[in-house]
Amino acid sequence: MLASIEPAEARGQVMLDQWTDFFVMVGGGAAGLAGLIFVAISINPERIVRNTTHKNRAINMLSGFSAIFMACSLALLGGQYLPALGFEWLLLWGIATFIFVRGYVVALKAGMSAIGLTGPRLAGGTMCYLAEVAGAILLILGHGVGLYIAALGTIVLFAFLISGAWLLIIGIYEEPARG
């Protein structure tokens, strides 16, 4: 009896065509929001640079939205299979996770502006980044469910990043002006 040849989709190596709209929408949104945060930061850079919490929050917001944009861009590269995308995302999200956790810990230790520096925000944001890492690992292993896990992590991460940007703006203006 001849063994049947399984199509690539059955082995978990599906092309990403059905995800194009999602990645275009999310990547475009992330790029737009990163630009808006950059403009907002440039309005009052002195207060951000002098305050460890504000500086690290700004870094986290910019790197988070940039990572989402890059992840979507990588997913839109033509002819990729899930394991290749998984390796790219694992590297990207590993770096982004490190930047997020490091920035939050540095801000907590500095004890400057405590606005929004809570354990639940750290845990929630970290869980979003770890969902991205887990999704990437599943893609490397050829499991399409990794796309859904990463997509869910991205959607929730968006909420954390937007609220973090709001906390940055509020923190800057609630801090007494020096001068």
Side-chain angles (χ1 to χ4, degrees):
M1 189 171 192
L2 295 173
S4 65
I5 298 175
E6 293 181 52
E9 292 86 3
R11 293 189 309 267
Q13 296 183 349
V14 297
M15 297 298 285
L16 300 167
D17 294 339
Q18 66 270 26
W19 286 85
T20 300
D21 291 342
F22 175 81
F23 290 121
V24 168
M25 179 191 71
V26 173
L33 288 169
L36 287 173
I37 290 170
F38 190 85
V39 169
I41 290 169
S42 68
I43 292 171
N44 225 334
E46 303 85 29
R47 286 189 180 180
I48 293 171
V49 171
R50 289 186 183 134
N51 184 301
T52 305
T53 300
H54 300 333
K55 181 172 63 175
N56 283 286
R57 183 170 280 143
I59 291 168
N60 281 346
M61 298 311 103
L62 286 172
S63 65
F65 282 124
S66 297
I68 291 172
F69 173 73
M70 288 184 271
C72 291
S73 298
L74 291 168
L76 291 170
L77 291 175
Q80 279 197 105
Y81 290 104
L82 297 182
L85 180 61
F87 279 114
E88 296 162 359
W89 278 4
L90 184 61
L91 179 63
L92 173 68
W93 289 114
I95 293 168
T97 302
F98 174 79
I99 291 170
F100 173 78
V101 173
R102 182 199 169 279
Y104 216 103
V105 169
V106 167
L108 280 170
K109 285 182 180 179
M112 294 187 98
S113 174
I115 295 172
L117 284 179
T118 64
R121 278 195 65 80
L122 173 60
T126 302
M127 286 174 47
C128 291
Y129 282 100
L130 292 178
E132 305 292 352
V133 170
I137 291 169
L138 287 169
L139 292 179
I140 291 168
L141 298 173
H143 300 293
V145 71
L147 284 170
Y148 292 95
I149 292 169
L152 182 59
T154 298
I155 292 166
V156 177
L157 180 59
F158 241 95
F160 271 92
L161 293 173
I162 290 170
S163 64
W166 178 252
L167 289 169
L168 175 63
I169 292 168
I170 295 300
I172 291 168
Y173 288 102
E174 285 190 357
E175 175 184 291
R178 292 184 195 154

